[in-house]
Amino acid sequence: KMILCFTVIVLGSLQLSAPEIKGNPKIIEELVSNNENLETLSVERDIQELKPGEVVRRDAKANEKQSFIIKLKAGESVTVTIPQHSMAVVAKTYNSDGEQIGQFAQQQDEMITQPIVFAADKQGDYRIDVFTSWSGFYLLNCGMPRETTEIDRKHFAAQKLYVEYLITLPNNPNIPSEEKTGKRLEKLLERAAIYRAANEPELIALSLSDLAVFYGSLAEYSKMVAGYEEALEILRSTGSAADECAVLFALANDALQRKGDFQKAIDYL
């Protein structure tokens, strides 16, 4: 199998080139964590009910927010995916009480389709808000409701851990900054462990990339590189070529340069 990744490395100055946004884990982190701007800049459209088994194609403009509700009974679960999209999208999910329970970001044509799992603890309307970064379209695929399984609970728990890492802990004024760092790392490690236990290779790779980004923010570059390298090995075994290319780009053009290992960065490419 041949993977073509067109990348420019400017040693010592970290100069990004195409695909600098598409699939770059660091850019995804910044996109999905900019929670306040998502709400402020997005124009909201009418809420639409998403029915079981339905695949919806929606056209969207830049900075638009589109909302959908899914009616679930207590003990039911459903999986929603965004299998195709012509722009970067962010999805935020809420339980029947309006509490945020998940947040997801996918870049244009990204191969890994994250399952968005709703596990209802009581009957009600569960919501998904989709934010679009520029004009284009996306598909929203709603599965059929099912009795909640242990795998559903694991996915749901992992999603909530990511919300705690990304939003709840950073915005909690009662926790000292140095304590927040440790708690946020714990959430990411626990999330990765859940995906490992569930044997979800692509989601393990995704969680390792998120860990790599966080280690980079702490200037722990050896751990950053190790996270990307393990994610890369997993993606090569699954045949996720586009995502392999994205992680390879992040590893060579970001992590290894920060670590100062320029020759290894060149060797990877």
Side-chain angles (χ1 to χ4, degrees):
K1 179 182 67 176
M2 179 178 292
I3 306 297
L4 295 180
C5 302
F6 295 96
T7 307
V8 173
I9 295 183
V10 179
L11 299 181
S13 62
L14 190 59
Q15 187 69 41
L16 294 180
S17 66
E20 62 187 39
I21 293 178
K22 180 184 179 305
N24 188 312
K26 184 179 179 183
I27 301 298
I28 292 175
E29 168 84 0
E30 292 171 355
L31 174 67
V32 77
S33 64
N34 200 352
N35 207 52
E36 183 177 347
N37 281 351
L38 284 178
E39 298 291 352
T40 302
L41 298 178
S42 297
V43 177
E44 186 166 1
R45 289 173 58 174
D46 294 338
I47 297 177
Q48 175 183 339
E49 182 179 352
L50 195 59
K51 296 180 180 178
E54 187 175 33
V55 179
V56 175
R57 174 185 165 129
R58 292 298 295 265
D59 295 314
K61 298 178 181 178
N63 300 321
E64 191 167 60
K65 170 185 172 184
Q66 300 180 354
S67 298
F68 304 84
I69 60 167
I70 303 170
K71 296 183 180 294
L72 291 174
K73 299 176 182 177
E76 283 186 335
S77 289
V78 70
T79 299
V80 177
T81 57
I82 307 177
Q84 187 176 351
H85 37 87
S86 63
M87 81 286 270
V89 296
V90 172
K92 298 169 65 174
T93 58
Y94 301 85
N95 63 17
S96 57
D97 294 325
E99 174 193 2
Q100 187 174 353
I101 53 176
Q103 188 145 324
F104 312 81
Q106 287 188 228
Q107 296 299 300
Q108 181 182 7
D109 300 326
E110 188 176 13
M111 297 299 291
I112 292 178
T113 301
Q114 298 181 57
I116 301 171
V117 177
F118 291 88
D121 57 352
K122 61 182 179 180
Q123 182 170 329
D125 292 346
Y126 292 74
R127 191 174 95 243
I128 176 170
D129 292 343
V130 179
F131 300 83
T132 53
S133 54
W134 58 81
S135 297
F137 77 93
Y138 63 90
L139 300 182
L140 205 59
N141 185 2
C142 182
M144 298 298 294
R146 58 187 178 272
E147 184 177 348
T148 298
T149 66
E150 186 61 30
I151 292 294
D152 291 325
R153 294 187 186 94
K154 287 179 179 179
H155 275 288
F156 189 69
Q159 291 170 184
K160 292 191 74 173
L161 285 166
Y162 190 65
V163 171
E164 290 179 56
Y165 154 76
L166 194 68
I167 298 166
T168 308
L169 284 169
N171 294 326
N172 189 333
N174 299 318
I175 302 178
S177 296
E178 60 276 10
E179 190 176 336
K180 283 182 183 180
T181 299
K183 288 183 176 295
R184 294 183 73 201
L185 179 57
E186 286 174 7
K187 301 301 178 184
L188 286 181
L189 290 169
E190 190 175 348
R191 173 177 174 244
I194 287 174
Y195 287 141
R196 287 186 192 276
N199 194 27
E200 299 272 8
E202 291 183 335
L203 295 178
I204 295 169
L206 177 69
S207 63
L208 289 169
S209 294
D210 289 333
L211 272 165
V213 171
F214 191 62
Y215 281 129
S217 72
L218 302 178
E220 295 189 30
Y221 301 129
S222 293
K223 291 182 179 179
M224 183 184 190
V225 169
Y228 279 138
E229 286 182 331
E230 186 178 356
L232 183 63
E233 182 179 351
I234 291 170
L235 292 172
R236 282 176 170 168
S237 70
T238 63
S240 301
D243 298 294
E244 176 187 333
C245 187
V247 171
L248 181 61
F249 178 83
L251 173 61
N253 213 35
D254 188 2
L256 286 167
Q257 287 205 52
R258 291 199 202 188
K259 189 182 176 185
D261 199 341
F262 302 125
Q263 185 56 55
K264 191 172 182 180
I266 294 171
D267 291 342
Y268 262 111
L269 297 171

